[in-house]
Every structure is written in C-alpha cells, then in structure tokens.
Amino acid sequence: MTTTLVRPLSDPLGDRVPEPVAQEAVDQAQAALGLRRPASPPGALSLASVQGQAPPRVVLGYGLGADSSAILARWLTDPSSRDFELHELAVVTGMTGQEWPATRALVEQNLLPLMAASNVRYLQIARRGLHQADGIDILSDSCRPDRLHLVGAWTLAHEMFDGGTVPQTAGDRLCSQHFKAWPLDTVIAELTQGRPYRHVMGYELEETRRATRDAKYNTALRTGEYPLRVWDGGWNRARAQAFLRGLFGIETWVKSACTYCPFALANDDGRKEAIARFIAEPDAGVLALAMEFVATALNPTQGLIKGQRLLSLLQASPGAGDVLAAFEQRITTLPWAVYDVRRTLSPRVDGKNNFARSVRILDIGTPEETRTRLAQRARCAAVPLTVGDPAFPDDTQPRAWLRRREPQRLDGGMATAERFLTIAPATARSKTGPAFPNAWAAASQLELTA
C-alpha cells in the first residue's frame, strides 16, 4: 500500500484521500484479519437447490450449542424420544462466520458421524451479503455431513468491521436476526414448500421467556416446539450437559457463540470462560480485540463488556500475554486511517435518544504517519489534541474534538451533535447513515433569539 500523507494540508477537513484509495486500504486491513471480501464459497448452492426432496415434517434449528446438540443427539440415539422418523427431519444451521474452533471440533467429532450414520439431512446456510436482496448461500446440503462450513460470503464480522462497531446487547439481538432468524426462516419456507411443519428450538427449561416469545411466531403452517422443556419433567442446561457427557465422554459441551460475542462476556462466569478460550485460541482474541479497538476509537461507549473493555480485562488476566502480544503485532502491521466522526443525538418522546453517525476516512498510512497527520489536522483546525475520554478510564485514543455535544439542548428537547478526528486501523468504511444529513442539519441550526 502506498501512503498518501506527503500531500500538503491546507484544510483540516476538506483535504482527504480519494475514496478508491481508502476502500483499498480497508480491504487490505480486513483481509489481514482473515476477512476476505464477499464471494460465495466454492461448492455453495442456490436457495432453490433445497427443493426436490419430500418436505420435512420436523425442522430443527441447530445452533451448535449444548441445548440443541442434546436434542439432536437424543433423537439419533433414542428413538423413543421422538414421534417421527428420521427421514422426516431436516436440521438447519445459520452460520454467523466466526464460531469458536472448539465448537467445530465437538460437532465434527461427535454429532456429524451420528447424523451421517442415520442419513439425517443437514443444511448449513449463510448470508451472501449485507442486504437481504443479496440472497442466501447453501454451504452444504447433505445426508452424509462430515464437516462444518462455518464461513460464508458475508459474516457478522464483515458487518461489524464495515460499520466500525460491535454487536449490541441493548434491545433486540439484531445479530441473531440478521444471521440466523432471517436466513433460517427463508430456507425453511423453501424446504417445507407451503406444508405444515414443526419448528424445534433448543430452549431449555429455564428459558421460558424465549420460548414464549418464539411461540408468538406460530402460524397455520409453523408450530414451535421445545423438547427440553417437556422431556422427563424438563431439562435445564446442566441436564443437557450431563446427557452429552454421558453419551460422548466429553467434559463440557462449550457454549456456541461468535468469538467476539458480548453476551458471552455479560457475567463473571462467561468472562472467565472467554478468557480461557482466548488464551487457548489467540487468533480468536486478535479478531475480537481489533473489532473493539476500532469501535471504541470511533465511539468510546462501544466496548465488548458493559462498563469495561475486553482489552482491559485481558490486560488484567494472568496468562493472556500471548493473545495481547499477537494483537499488538497484528494491528501495527495494518493500514491505519485518520477518521472524521460526526454523531447526532435527537431526543424522543420516551426520554431516550435517536443516534445517527457519519464516518469518513481522511488519510491512510502507518500508525506513526496517521498519528502525525492527526496532530497536523488538529493544529490546522486550531483545536487541541487530547488523549482518552474522562468518562472511560481505559480509553487511550487520541482525538481532536471539533464539536462537543450540548446536554442543555437535549434537556430542552432539541437535537445536538459532536464531531472529532481520531486514528485507528483502517477496517471501518466511510459511511453516512440515511438519517444523518437531516439529523445533522437539525442539530446545527442556530437558535434565533428575540
């Protein structure tokens, strides 16, 4: 990559690298993290290819974790646990793209051989692109499955890195909706061809809320079922784990999750498990740390752990030296960017705020070059270059603040905005949200006084 920072600077905001150069740098940075640009994997099939066989009566949404694995394993080894024949079953997994290697090993070594021996149809599917119009790839459709196809053309990490953010824990789990719910519903509709079917989900005894919510999606064709909640008085996760342990001789069926899943870091037990996994699998830690690093540069609130960052957690964790060293080495070799970040806050009637954001790449270079360029832009704009955000003790990012949000405007029911320049690995694309132009204009109007 050829750097562009030899250009003279005359405008702190108007002088910027050509967009094709910026996008090439983003492609290079993401590729260095293992994220190739979207392309259907070799052997992927079209959605229409799933037809041609008798529609299944039962469809298991297989999430690879202990709960749904226990259901499938019991069905395959105990015919009395089911009221259908295995040829009436289809198993479907929606791939997010960055599953833990340990989960792959468990499924490939234990469940896939059972499925192949029983001739159970297994479909592995993935999004083909950011938009639903891009379609779905059938990564595998086989009654003799022998491996997991975890990575499709478009993964959740592509979506997160492109947007310079991390999966959100507040509100609906959009990551699951985008990469599991919509692809699964689309493929199941194609599979069942308008015939009634039973949609089995791995909700255990203590997941009453999830099961109740899922049942609201029942239709004249779809009937949700939750075997763990009714088997032998109900199976919780501990009982599902005990069943898998007895059947396969494994100590624990590890939790299925993306390697950067904030839900897996939401409590002490989850964090302890994640730290052990990152120590054992440093490459997974590098991807998660890189995602968080860029997201928090663009928005200090975007750590993977509420009130704390994964980076800080690992820095305080004995044994995490290898993953931290690998992360530091990797990000210093990536192309970096000077980013222009604008964000608006617009008050809502419910007391919360709507947010809109615009991110632009101004410069591309090495970490040292972009840091120097950021300082030049700060001087040109006649603003100080600050380090860190006082509200986040573990934030160490340099920023040149051009505009600060005004809380009094929000208190008065008016929109406000902020703007700063910062540097980070060039993994986030220049992007302006559709609501941003009007929101920025509203936040920038001068208040007229009599």
Side-chain angles (χ1 to χ4, degrees):
M1 180 191 67
T2 302
T3 59
T4 61
L5 301 190
V6 295
R7 297 177 294 106
L9 179 65
S10 60
D11 184 333
L13 299 173
D15 290 347
R16 57 182 296 207
V17 68
E19 190 62 23
V21 175
Q23 294 312 307
E24 179 185 2
V26 174
D27 289 345
Q28 290 178 7
Q30 290 192 10
L33 291 170
L35 301 174
R36 58 182 170 79
R37 293 317 301 158
S40 295
L45 305 172
S46 68
L47 178 62
S49 70
V50 305
Q51 294 192 7
Q53 301 185 38
R57 290 181 50 226
V58 180
V59 178
L60 171 64
Y62 181 39
L64 308 179
D67 299 330
S68 54
S69 292
I71 293 173
L72 182 55
R74 191 180 186 197
W75 280 349
L76 296 175
T77 58
D78 178 9
S80 69
S81 66
R82 50 182 165 82
D83 58 357
F84 57 89
E85 300 298 327
L86 291 178
H87 70 265
E88 299 175 298
L89 169 67
V91 180
V92 188
T93 299
M95 299 299 184
T96 60
Q98 285 79 38
E99 181 61 67
W100 287 95
T103 297
R104 175 198 283 273
L106 282 171
V107 175
E108 290 185 346
Q109 294 170 13
N110 297 289
L111 267 174
L112 294 194
L114 281 180
M115 295 171 71
S118 299
N119 206 38
V120 170
R121 187 180 184 186
Y122 183 33
L123 297 95
Q124 303 176 58
I125 66 176
R127 293 182 73 112
R128 192 179 291 151
L130 172 63
H131 306 289
Q132 292 185 2
D134 296 323
I136 291 170
D137 279 328
I138 309 301
L139 305 177
S140 176
D141 181 358
S142 175
C143 292
R144 292 286 190 272
D146 59 359
R147 68 187 181 97
L148 288 182
H149 300 260
L150 296 175
V151 182
W154 183 258
T155 70
L156 179 56
H158 280 109
E159 188 169 317
M160 297 296 102
F161 276 105
D162 271 12
T165 188
V166 296
Q168 304 300 300
T169 56
D172 295 331
R173 294 182 65 158
L174 295 179
C175 52
S176 292
Q177 291 182 21
H178 289 181
F179 287 86
K180 291 182 178 292
W182 174 75
L184 286 170
D185 289 346
T186 302
V187 170
I188 290 171
E190 198 79 11
L191 267 177
T192 55
Q193 302 173 42
R195 308 284 183 85
Y197 67 97
R198 296 154 58 184
H199 191 182
V200 178
M201 307 291 285
Y203 299 142
E204 44 98 355
L205 182 62
E206 297 171 5
E207 293 184 301
T208 301
R209 183 177 178 182
R210 296 183 72 187
T212 300
R213 182 176 57 193
D214 180 79
K216 294 179 180 179
Y217 295 100
N218 286 341
T219 66
L221 298 179
R222 188 252 192 203
T223 302
E225 294 187 2
Y226 323 102
L228 293 179
R229 296 179 55 77
V230 297
W231 277 348
D232 311 322
W235 287 24
N236 58 15
R237 185 152 302 150
R239 189 163 181 181
Q241 287 279 11
F243 174 77
L244 294 169
R245 186 179 306 117
L247 182 62
F248 297 122
I250 50 101
E251 181 177 351
T252 301
W253 196 281
V254 296
K255 182 177 178 63
S256 171
C258 294
T259 57
Y260 43 80
C261 179
F263 295 97
L265 298 165
N267 54 54
D268 288 341
D269 289 342
R271 288 191 282 273
K272 290 176 182 177
E273 181 180 353
I275 291 169
R277 289 177 133 187
F278 285 132
I279 292 172
E281 300 168 8
D283 283 347
V286 168
L287 189 70
L289 289 169
M291 180 184 293
E292 179 187 65
F293 187 84
V294 177
T296 52
L298 304 182
N299 183 350
T301 68
Q302 290 289 291
L304 282 168
I305 305 173
K306 185 176 181 180
Q308 185 184 8
R309 295 181 182 174
L310 175 62
L311 178 59
S312 301
L313 177 66
L314 289 174
Q315 288 171 336
S317 300
D322 286 348
V323 65
L324 290 169
F327 164 65
E328 292 291 343
Q329 189 277 332
R330 186 74 59 85
I331 64 167
T332 57
T333 62
L334 299 178
W336 278 51
V338 177
Y339 284 101
D340 173 17
V341 182
R342 292 179 289 169
R343 182 178 296 106
T344 64
L345 297 82
S346 304
R348 303 189 326 206
V349 295
D350 61 2
K352 299 180 180 180
N353 297 311
N354 286 327
F355 294 84
R357 189 173 78 169
S358 172
V359 173
R360 295 193 310 163
I361 292 176
L362 301 181
D363 298 298
I364 294 294
T366 66
E368 294 76 15
E369 289 171 334
T370 54
R371 185 177 293 271
T372 298
R373 191 63 159 185
L374 176 63
Q376 291 174 344
R377 289 186 179 276
R379 287 194 298 271
C380 190
V383 298
L385 186 61
T386 61
V387 176
D389 186 321
F392 300 90
D394 50 4
D395 181 44
T396 59
Q397 288 298 119
R399 297 183 182 87
W401 284 91
L402 305 176
R403 180 176 179 179
R404 298 275 190 173
R405 66 178 67 176
E406 301 166 282
Q408 67 274 17
R409 287 180 60 92
L410 285 176
D411 294 341
M414 296 177 290
T416 187
E418 60 188 18
R419 185 176 199 173
F420 60 84
L421 309 182
T422 191
I423 60 172
T427 57
R429 298 188 182 278
S430 297
K431 181 181 179 181
T432 297
F436 179 80
N438 288 339
W440 182 259
S444 302
Q445 288 178 356
L446 294 176
E447 297 299 315
L448 300 180
T449 58

